[in-house]
Amino acid sequence: MIYLYYDSRTGNVERFINKVIQITGWTAVRIQEDTIITEPGHLVTYTTNFGKVPDKTESFANKFAEILYSVTASGNRNWGRNYAIAAEKISDHYAIPLAMKFELSGTLEDINQFIDIIKNQHYDSKRGSEKLDIA
């Protein structure tokens, strides 16, 4: 079973996650302040304030980085070099492989790419796999 842990403020990430689970049947858990996880999984979040990691996401990553296989973030290309940069910041700070970035709630192509990355390039591999770092 593949677990996705996500944070969404405007609904973009939640829409992306809902499409992914409709296709795959994977388990998704929305991050709350008191969320506790025991199963390894993949983090999907958003970027806020033109390049900041959301506080709830930061706290979650700080607690559970050791069992997060990858990080993916939503962003807005209008932010230029800060586009979905939360994924890069989390990846760098916690040594979690960067899976991908997508704009807003993602396109069908983004969703399929995410599924492919998680299922075929990561599944059953070790957390530190360099192969996953394709974003």
Side-chain angles (χ1 to χ4, degrees):
M1 176 59 69
I2 294 177
Y3 291 87
L4 306 174
Y5 303 107
Y6 72 97
D7 195 0
S8 184
R9 185 184 69 206
T10 63
N12 284 329
V13 172
E14 188 165 43
R15 282 189 291 280
F16 179 85
I17 290 293
N18 286 339
K19 292 172 194 169
V20 169
I21 62 174
Q22 283 177 345
I23 294 168
T24 63
W26 296 344
T27 299
V29 175
R30 186 170 186 158
I31 298 168
Q32 303 297 329
E33 296 295 334
D34 59 351
T35 299
I36 296 174
I37 64 170
T38 57
E39 295 295 329
H42 304 270
L43 175 60
V44 183
T45 191
Y46 61 96
T47 302
T48 191
N49 295 332
F50 301 99
K52 186 176 180 299
V53 175
D55 292 337
K56 200 181 331 174
T57 300
E58 185 78 46
S59 176
F60 181 82
N62 193 47
K63 292 177 196 169
F64 302 109
E66 292 301 316
I67 60 172
L68 294 175
Y69 289 138
S70 73
V71 60
T72 294
S74 171
N76 189 318
R77 291 189 193 278
N78 290 339
W79 295 356
R81 66 181 181 175
N82 287 335
Y83 161 68
I85 200 165
E88 291 178 38
K89 289 180 176 183
I90 292 168
S91 177
D92 291 345
H93 189 263
Y94 297 101
I96 300 170
L98 175 59
M100 68 175 283
K101 300 175 180 182
F102 61 93
E103 187 167 26
L104 303 174
S105 61
T107 64
L108 183 55
E109 183 179 331
D110 295 329
I111 291 160
N112 289 328
Q113 180 184 11
F114 177 78
I115 292 167
D116 179 61
I117 290 168
I118 301 306
K119 186 177 178 184
N120 298 317
Q121 297 184 35
H122 172 75
Y123 194 75
D124 286 339
S125 67
K126 298 295 181 196
R127 175 177 173 240
S129 171
E130 291 300 317
K131 187 175 183 184
L132 192 61
D133 292 327
I134 65 168

